[in-house]
Amino acid sequence: MVTVVDRPAIEYVVKEAVAAGIEQIILVPHSSKASIENYFDRNFELETTLENKKKLDLLKEITEILPPYVSVISVRQPQPLGLGHAVLCAKAVIGEDDFAVLLPDVLVKDSDTPNDLSLMIQRFNDTQASQIMVEAVPDRLVDQYGIVDVKHSPNEGESIVMQGIVEKPAIGTAPSNLSVVGRYVLPAKIMKLLENTPKGAGNEIQLTDAIALLQETETVEAYRMKGQTFDCGSKLGYLKAVLHNGVDHPKLGEDFKALIKELEL
Ligand code: G1P
């Protein structure tokens, strides 16, 4: 489990969902990642030890990671066949519900309350149009992301109808510089499309390709985020996440800022 300051990265992502009003979390880890499921579960041995040792602050921290009304379910992805396949693994649990997808290697630092994901959910509920969170990236990076095709770039905090979406286009062929961040609000019916989505980029079943199919018959919108992203899948993105969350940390923040000052040349 990747840790950012003193918390697993996944905790930030789950808390982002909870802040947007989501009460049921479905984790889809690979079978080698059981520690993620365990983290959100109770650990009676550890709890009893902390209680006996009167380490009540720590006990509170591990028992109050999420509010009591939030449930966490886990469904495994037996083989790494792509993001679309991972989403499909949750089909039986999702049933007929519309849902959000949050990729755990991207942390979102929200600039506002309600957060970006809340605004996407609100927009979905008002219009029934699927919402894909995007941000602008430099042209030289478009081949690392899903890229949306839109008539013009929306303002931050706004949604615009998408004309298309393409996974990791070659540089020079991308329809825009608006990249898919890894936050989606989707209708239950996308599961049917995923079942029939052939392997795409990287020989994987791509969520992007199922969204492109959905967009042939329904309105799908690109929502331009107001907050900031840290891609923990890249070394620099990870360091940026540590830096920002370290500075914002309620207990360590001030000392961490002093440390950064000390390092200034
Ligand atoms: C996935 C998605 C891609 C999106 C990216 C965001 O790609 O397929 O559309 O832009 O996450 O991080 P991956 O990073 O898993 O290759």
Side-chain angles (χ1 to χ4, degrees):
M1 258 195 309
V2 176
T3 304
V4 174
V5 189
D6 57 353
R7 302 273 156 192
I10 186 84
E11 183 178 325
Y12 293 86
V13 180
V14 170
K15 284 188 166 158
E16 178 195 340
V18 171
I22 292 174
E23 297 183 0
Q24 280 180 307
I25 308 288
I26 308 168
L27 304 171
V28 189
H30 182 250
S31 46
S32 63
K33 302 229 168 129
S35 54
I36 292 179
E37 300 164 306
N38 293 340
Y39 182 74
F40 291 103
D41 206 349
R42 298 293 292 260
N43 180 338
F44 288 106
E45 251 179 27
L46 178 60
E47 286 173 28
T48 311
T49 309
L50 291 175
E51 206 170 346
N52 290 342
K53 291 191 170 174
K54 301 272 176 286
K55 296 198 167 172
L56 300 183
D57 279 0
L58 276 178
L59 179 65
K60 197 167 145 63
E61 267 189 43
I62 66 158
T63 51
E64 293 179 11
I65 296 172
L66 296 175
Y69 57 83
V70 175
S71 63
V72 181
I73 298 165
S74 184
V75 182
R76 291 200 179 172
Q77 184 185 26
Q79 284 174 288
L81 299 180
L83 174 59
H85 175 255
V87 172
L88 199 50
C89 288
K91 181 174 180 260
V93 189
I94 299 271
E96 294 305 310
D97 290 334
D98 303 324
F99 61 100
V101 176
L102 291 83
L103 305 191
D105 45 0
V106 178
L107 301 194
V108 168
K109 183 179 177 187
D110 279 296
S111 58
D112 248 334
T113 310
N115 67 9
D116 280 312
L117 187 61
S118 305
L119 297 178
M120 288 166 72
I121 293 173
Q122 204 177 314
R123 174 90 183 162
F124 178 92
N125 289 339
D126 290 348
T127 63
Q128 291 306 298
S130 299
Q131 301 292 313
I132 316 296
M133 194 190 287
V134 298
E135 69 175 342
V137 290
D139 289 336
R140 65 189 158 77
L141 297 182
V142 290
D143 60 350
Q144 297 180 16
Y145 300 98
I147 301 289
V148 299
D149 185 0
V150 283
K151 284 220 166 104
H152 63 86
S153 192
N155 292 325
E156 290 176 3
E158 282 179 11
S159 295
I160 186 172
V161 174
M162 251 171 52
Q163 316 296 317
I165 183 168
V166 54
E167 184 68 15
K168 305 192 174 84
I171 292 169
T173 67
S176 75
N177 71 340
L178 292 176
S179 76
V180 174
V181 162
R183 303 293 186 268
Y184 313 77
V185 181
L186 298 168
K189 68 174 75 125
I190 199 158
M191 291 294 186
K192 276 253 160 311
L193 298 173
L194 274 169
E195 279 173 336
N196 297 310
T197 302
K199 286 184 178 170
N203 206 26
E204 294 184 338
I205 299 171
Q206 297 291 350
L207 181 59
T208 298
D209 294 341
I211 293 169
L213 289 174
L214 179 70
Q215 186 250 320
E216 285 175 10
T217 55
E218 300 214 355
T219 307
V220 178
E221 293 183 336
Y223 167 84
R224 183 154 179 199
M225 70 186 304
K226 297 197 272 186
Q228 230 184 321
T229 58
F230 309 121
D231 182 0
C232 293
S234 89
K235 288 175 190 160
L236 207 58
Y238 171 74
L239 289 175
K240 222 170 146 185
V242 173
L243 199 63
H244 278 258
N245 286 290
V247 164
D248 290 345
H249 193 283
K251 286 187 190 150
L252 304 170
E254 289 312 312
D255 286 347
F256 189 54
K257 277 186 216 162
L259 195 64
I260 294 170
K261 269 219 150 70
E262 225 177 278
L263 287 175
E264 271 174 19
L265 297 172

